[in-house]
Amino acid sequence: QLQLVESGGGLVQPGGSLRLSCAASLFTLEDYAIAWFRQPPGKEREGVSCISSSGDNTDYADFVKGRFIISRDNAMNTVYLQMNSLEPEDTAVYYCASARGDLCLGYAMSGYDLWGWGTQVTVSS
């Protein structure tokens, strides 16, 4: 079964860091742009960051610019999200999703056709 699997979430104190991973099963990530989304408690899912298939182009939501870094290792079939200077407002379930093409074209959910189950990130003292 084709799937994406997120890992790396957990509980961290404000100001701390986490690195999330998104691994693909039974398909090759290298042909697709990959995005991270998050869904805070009681709120809608929102786009966080995206990376093109080659890794040459990245995009970040304003609320994570300068704090989060997206990267990919196509040899490992994995995309990463390094999250630094975490804030309580970053608490959410984080999802990765594969785009329908190789470029990042925004965060409309209709543009992504395979989603992971999510990993919980909790930022609290």
Side-chain angles (χ1 to χ4, degrees):
Q1 180 178 351
L2 300 178
Q3 61 179 348
L4 295 172
V5 180
E6 303 94 339
S7 62
L11 174 64
V12 63
Q13 292 187 341
S17 298
L18 284 175
R19 189 176 81 155
L20 305 184
S21 298
C22 172
S25 175
L26 297 182
F27 78 103
T28 301
L29 278 180
E30 67 180 355
D31 295 331
Y32 304 99
I34 302 295
W36 286 95
F37 290 76
R38 72 184 188 185
Q39 188 161 14
K43 297 184 179 180
E44 294 186 351
R45 196 170 298 189
E46 59 188 2
V48 175
S49 183
C50 183
I51 187 166
S52 63
S53 62
S54 66
D56 290 342
N57 294 291
T58 59
D59 182 77
Y60 297 93
D62 287 344
F63 50 80
V64 302
K65 279 182 181 176
R67 300 189 299 123
F68 291 11
I69 300 171
I70 192 170
S71 62
R72 65 191 301 155
D73 185 340
N74 286 337
M76 296 295 292
N77 216 23
T78 302
V79 172
Y80 304 98
L81 186 68
Q82 177 67 42
M83 306 188 297
N84 302 317
S85 302
L86 284 162
E87 304 166 351
E89 293 74 21
D90 296 316
T91 295
V93 178
Y94 283 73
Y95 302 88
C96 63
S98 63
R100 298 185 185 277
D102 58 349
L103 298 177
C104 294
L105 299 176
Y107 298 103
M109 293 176 59
S110 59
Y112 298 85
D113 56 7
L114 186 65
W115 293 78
W117 288 101
T119 185
Q120 175 70 48
V121 172
T122 303
V123 184
S124 175
S125 55

